[in-house]
Structure formats: C-alpha cells, structure tokens
Amino acid sequence: MSIRRLPPELINRIAAGEVVERPASALKELVENSLDAGANQVTVRLYAGGLERIEVSDDGCGMAPEEMRLALERHATSKLPGDAIDRVTSFGFRGEALPSIASVSRLTLESRVRGADGWRIEVDHGEAAGEGPAALPPGTRIRIEGLFDKVPARRKFLRSPRAEYAACLDAVKRLAMARSDVGFTLDHDGRRILTLQPTEPPARVAELLTHELDRHGIGIDCTRDGLRLTGVISLPTFNRGVADQQYLFVNSRPVKDRLLVGALRAAYRDLIARDRHPIAALFVDVPLEEVDVNVHPAKTEVRFRDPAAVRGLIVGGLRHALNEESGRSAAREQAAAPVMWTSSADLPYRLREGTAEQSEAGVGLMYAHPLAPSREREGVNDVAEAQRLFTEAPAARAEPAVEPVPTYPLGVARGQVAATYIVAEAEDGLVIVDQHAAHERLVLERMRAAREGGAVARQALLIPEVVELDEPECDRLEGAADELAGMGLDLERFGPTAMLVRSVPAALGRTDVAALLADLAAEIAELGGPLSLRDKLDHVAATIACHGSVRAGRILSVAEMNALLREMEVTPRSGQCNHGRPTWVKLGHGEIEKLFGRK
Ligand SMILES: Nc1ncnc2c1ncn2[C@@H]1O[C@H](COP(=O)(O)OP(=O)(O)OP(=O)(O)O)[C@@H](O)[C@H]1O
Ligand SMILES: [Mg+2]
C-alpha cells in the first residue's frame, strides 16, 4: 500500500464536505466573514433557496487584490495574528471557508478597500477562471453559483429550494440575533424578506422571534460565577411541536450545542410535555479561556472547561424565572380571543323550539349555590323549566351577589360546567379552571415539595393490598422499590406475579392502587433509558399525581372548588398541567364587554 499526499483541490473538496454541506452553511460562512470584516450592513440575496445563487455584500474593510488571492488559499486567514487559538473573538479563524466553497461552486469575489480601486477574482470549482477590475462601493461582494452542481454525491442530499431557503433564513436570523448592532437585508428570488436596522439585542430578538413573546415570554438576565445568561424564553404553555425556535449563543457565536439544548430542556422538565418545545433566545457569556470553539468543523458546537457550571447557570436561572412566572398562563390572552367563546345568544330561542336535546342545554350548567342542589344533580329535565330558567330576567351571577367578591386572583367558585370545569368570578373577570389538569399539578407539586423537604407523608393501608401483575412488571416495580418508598409508596414482592402495597403517598388520597401500579410499571419500563434518577422520579411522581387527582366528570362541592382555587394560588407552576397545557383561563371584564359590543 503506497501512501500519497492528496492534491490541494481534493483536500479542499474534502474540507468542503465538512464546512459546507448545503447552501445555508455556505451562506453562514459568508455572512460571518462580512461580520468579521467590520461590516455595518450585510445584504444577502438568494435564488432558489441558494441552490442557484447566493450573494452576500458588505461595507466592511474589503481586501486588496493580493489579499483576495490569499483568501482563496487554504489555511490563509487574517484572524489569528498570534497563535492564540484559545482566545478567538472572530467567527472565523481557520482560513477554510472560502477555498472550500470555491472548490464546489463557481465563486466570484469582488472587493474594494476604501480609497483604492475594486478587483474581481473568479474561481470555477477550484480552478482560477479570470480576474480584473471591478466597480463596487468599498467592501466585499461574493457570489456563489451552482453549489455542488459537479458533486453529485452532495447534490443528492440537497433538499427542495423551499427547504434550503428555510435553512438559509434560519442561518441569517441566528447571525442577526448575534449581532444586533449590524443592519441586515435578505431577499429571496427578488422578494424582500428581512429588513433589520441596527438596534439593541432585546429589540432584535423581539423582531426575529414571534411577536407573541411580548405577552408569552419571560426576560432572562442572571449572573453566576463570572458567567452571564441573558435573553428570553417562552412560558411553558406557549410551546411548539418542533424545536425550531431555539436560538443559543455563546459569546455572541450562534451554536447548536447539545449541552445547552439539554439544559434548556431540563429547565422545562415536567412543565411541558415530552414532545413539545419551548421558544428561546439565550445568550451565554463566559470568559474566553472557559470555552473552546475549535471543536466542530462548522463551529456550531463548543466545549466548556466547566460544563456543569454552564448547565447549572441555565437550568437554575431558567427554573427560577419560570417559578416566578408560574401563575401566568399563556392561555389567558388566547382565551380572550372572541373566537374561542361561543356566543350563547341564541340559546333561549332554541329552547323555545322545544326539542328533546335542547333540554340537555340545562344539564351542563350546574350551579354552585348550595341552595340549588337538586337542580345541580339532576339537571333540568323539562323544557318548560329550562325555558323559565333562561327567559327569566337574568341574574348577574349564578350565586346571589350578596357579598362583594373577595380579591382572590382566581376568584370565587360560582359553578361547575360539564362536571369538568370550574367557573369562578374574580375581581377582574371570569375564570375557568380545568379541574383535572389543575389538581394533577397540585398533587405533583405537593409530592415534590414533600420529597425535597425530606418528609413524604404516607398513608398506611389498613389492610395491605395485593396487586396481581405480570412477572416483568413486578420485577420492575421491585427494582424501583427504594425510590418509590422515597415517594411514600411502600411495596414489596408477593410471589412471582403479585406485589403487596403497604402504604401510598398521603398526597394521593383515595386511589385505585392496582391501576396505579400498572401505570408505574409501564412508566418505569419506558424510562429505562439514560435519564437521571431525579428525572425518573419526576416522571414517576407525575404518573402518581395523575392517579391522585380529581377526574374530569366528578362533581365538586363549592367548598372543594374554592379549596382547589386557593391552593392553586399558592402553588408554584400551577399555571400549567404536567403536560404543559394551561390549567386555567381568564376572560377580563374588558373582554366580556367587547364580546357584547359594549366597548
Ligand atoms: N467579506 C470579507 N471582507 C473582508 N475580508 C474577508 C471577507 N471574507 C473573507 N475575508 C478574508 O479572507 C480570509 C479567508 O476567509 P475564510 O472564511 O476562508 O477564512 P476565515 O474566516 O479566516 O476562517 P474560517 O475558515 O474559520 O471561516 C479571512 O481571514 C479574511 O481575511
Ligand atoms: Mg470565514
């Protein structure tokens, strides 16, 4: 076997495979170069998602003709004056991007240093293809055409122009967030997509993320041990099905680092369902010597000297902010949209028609007032009675308005709808609570508080209960017995296919122990993966909580409803259920007035 040195074109092409895998990554390299050149304005033009053509112009420092030739050579960079690769502040530092891109496309580089004439160099798939004078304002303009046209192996992996365009837009957004002091424009197929004036970071982030974050976002700013975290995250209830709106930066460099993504995820643990994702723009600033940016070909991952400190800062900082905001629920404003509320204006009319189902209309409405118990239970069975109910002069409230409404944030229970939702009157509006979602959350928080306080109240069963299960299920439960005991669930093996339960967490109240054990066994099987013990316990606690909570469909007494509301007010993170859905919504007086055209 003979060893040979590879020719430079081949080396460049191999590097291109790592540095530029699609139009968006070539575009990212070009914009980074413009930013490194001190540009105040970066102009991007794309055609067919960058597959046909990518053009980037800037008003940066420009290059003289001999610098342009060097720039296209491998490992030629102006960005490492010494050997201090551990202290780079520029986006680039390897001198790899331009020669790599030039080896897999037709590239035209035009540049002009202020006070000198402009020059143009063309390269066709790594071969010089001519040069000469060029007319352009001071700065640099680069055009890439036919990217990967002659590299079928790569071309195969490219997606549709739409998908490539989406990736390009994302790349520009990330860099625009990283450098809010620079103006950007982006055109696609001749259409203007973005115009961004130089501004401050929060304003830039707000411009590029959904405007909904004005109402559903939480601002972050915290410092710990010389590390700083700033930015904005969404309330847990304002989440997405894909993690496409998470922008992470380390020392102003956009990254897609696994450590940071994992920390973000961990901060939302149990506030959001496993398949939902928060929106976030987070900026981590660490001393230069704390981070190595030279670990990934496209520079999108970094290595921290002290990863635990960074993770701690993110999880701790976000968790704290989320706790402080826990009472807020994203659905509050959503629910205020009139479309979410069906108008009941035609209800009395339909009742007057007198058909069978219409009497049902009364059944769903249950009055909380203790003096109306019979109607509450039985519903309104006859049409005449329903008519009287709906055509009588309306009373202001289901419950007589004898006393002023005390100032509880979630108000006073006025009734229950569909045996599932509690309707309450607050000083500033109408509140609807999903009783199961809310109670599930409360049970989980109670269990967690108890666990963290080290004293889990357990309720011993007078007669220990024997639960029959499969052998593997028993094995799993037996294996987790210590952890479960830590949560107040004491069980032991009782033969090959049964478990004996001696106590249950007191937070649960009365519960179907057999169903709980079956669910736990399934949960433990599912969690078999690489989750931390703490994560597992939280999932298990959530499963237990689900069993302990009042179901939809259970009729609650007024006292029960009010007790639930009061506990929600003092429980952290009670604004959303364990799956990230809101537990309550509020319709403000102003919004009610709007619905009735009074405003
Ligand atoms: N838009 C630009 N304006 C001014 N100079 C530029 C511009 N683009 C590239 N250059 C010069 O060309 C050099 C090579 O650029 P290239 O992107 O290939 O490497 P780099 O930015 O130094 O490192 P990296 O490969 O990590 O991006 C840069 O160091 C810079 O001096
Ligand atoms: Mg570069």
Side-chain angles (χ1 to χ4, degrees), residues 29 33 79 97:
E29 294 293 338
N33 281 347
K79 300 173 190 174

Side-chain angles (χ1 to χ4, degrees), residues 340-488:
M340 305 271 301
W341 294 76
T342 6
S343 165
S344 59
D346 57 348
L347 190 53
Y349 170 76
R350 286 207 279 119
L351 280 175
R352 236 170 277 135
E353 299 280 288
T355 69
E357 318 89 77
Q358 283 151 4
S359 61
E360 293 289 325
V363 178
L365 186 73
M366 305 206 184
Y367 290 129
H369 193 267
L371 295 180
S374 59
R375 184 175 296 154
E376 179 179 321
R377 299 273 156 179
E378 297 149 24
V380 184
N381 290 324
D382 89 56
V383 176
E385 173 64 8
Q387 271 188 11
R388 192 190 58 73
L389 191 64
F390 282 98
T391 49
E392 257 178 10
R397 300 189 180 89
E399 186 173 332
V402 278
E403 283 166 35
V405 183
T407 52
Y408 294 121
L410 292 180
V412 179
R414 294 292 183 209
Q416 196 183 16
V417 180
T420 302
Y421 305 102
I422 299 168
V423 178
E425 181 180 4
E427 209 180 21
D428 55 348
L430 170 71
V431 175
I432 301 183
V433 174
D434 178 332
Q435 68 190 39
H436 174 67
H439 195 241
E440 196 180 1
R441 183 84 214 170
L442 295 182
V443 174
L444 176 63
E445 291 296 336
R446 257 187 246 156
M447 289 184 43
R448 176 178 297 147
R451 212 170 74 219
E452 281 171 9
V456 181
R458 46 188 16 90
Q459 166 147 27
L461 300 179
L462 281 178
I463 307 162
E465 197 164 328
V466 176
V467 180
E468 300 274 350
L469 295 157
D470 295 351
E471 192 157 354
E473 287 178 321
C474 291
D475 291 345
R476 274 181 232 127
L477 288 170
E478 194 180 9
D482 285 349
E483 286 127 42
L484 294 173
M487 284 185 266

Side-chain angles (χ1 to χ4, degrees), residues 29 33 37 58 71 77-79 92-98 140 299:
E29 294 293 338
N33 281 347
D58 65 58
T77 179
S78 59
K79 300 173 190 174
F93 51 86
R94 293 178 181 164
E96 252 180 6
L98 288 186
T140 301
K299 292 165 279 185

Side-chain angles (χ1 to χ4, degrees), residues 27-222:
L27 174 62
K28 161 185 166 295
E29 294 293 338
L30 299 185
V31 175
E32 287 185 352
N33 281 347
S34 295
L35 295 171
D36 283 345
N40 292 310
Q41 178 69 39
V42 177
T43 304
V44 178
R45 290 199 186 86
L46 300 172
Y47 296 87
L51 293 168
E52 206 174 292
R53 186 175 352 147
I54 300 172
E55 252 178 59
V56 175
S57 342
D58 65 58
D59 58 355
C61 63
M63 287 175 273
E66 63 278 15
E67 291 176 315
M68 292 167 66
R69 283 178 212 117
L70 258 184
L72 291 162
E73 268 177 37
R74 197 163 156 77
H75 300 314
T77 179
S78 59
K79 300 173 190 174
L80 280 181
D83 292 339
I85 193 152
D86 52 343
R87 302 194 67 84
V88 278
T89 53
S90 53
F91 287 111
F93 51 86
R94 293 178 181 164
E96 252 180 6
L98 288 186
S100 303
I101 297 170
S103 74
V104 289
S105 68
R106 288 191 308 282
L107 181 147
T108 309
L109 170 61
E110 295 171 290
S111 198
R112 183 179 150 200
V113 177
R114 202 167 295 275
D117 289 332
W119 195 252
R120 168 185 55 84
I121 298 185
E122 287 175 39
V123 183
D124 190 350
H125 293 87
E127 309 272 335
E131 50 183 278
L136 74 162
T140 301
R141 184 156 68 203
I142 300 194
R143 191 164 64 228
I144 300 173
E145 289 164 295
L147 186 69
F148 295 127
D149 266 358
K150 295 195 182 161
V151 193
R154 274 280 143 195
R155 187 94 209 167
K156 256 200 331 242
F157 288 100
L158 296 177
R159 312 215 348 245
S160 67
R162 271 240 68 75
E164 295 300 337
Y165 160 66
C168 287
L169 177 62
D170 186 65
V172 172
K173 280 187 179 178
R174 286 177 196 272
L175 286 162
M177 279 193 210
R179 288 295 303 275
S180 57
D181 56 325
V182 175
F184 287 83
T185 60
L186 169 65
D187 289 7
H188 186 222
D189 291 335
R191 210 160 57 86
R192 178 57 48 99
I193 307 291
L194 279 181
T195 309
L196 301 166
Q197 307 295 340
T199 178
E200 298 297 317
R204 176 62 60 85
V205 167
E207 238 172 313
L208 288 173
L209 287 179
T210 162
H211 288 289
E212 299 281 319
L213 274 199
D214 298 349
R215 286 183 301 161
H216 303 308
I218 309 173
I220 303 291
D221 190 348
C222 54

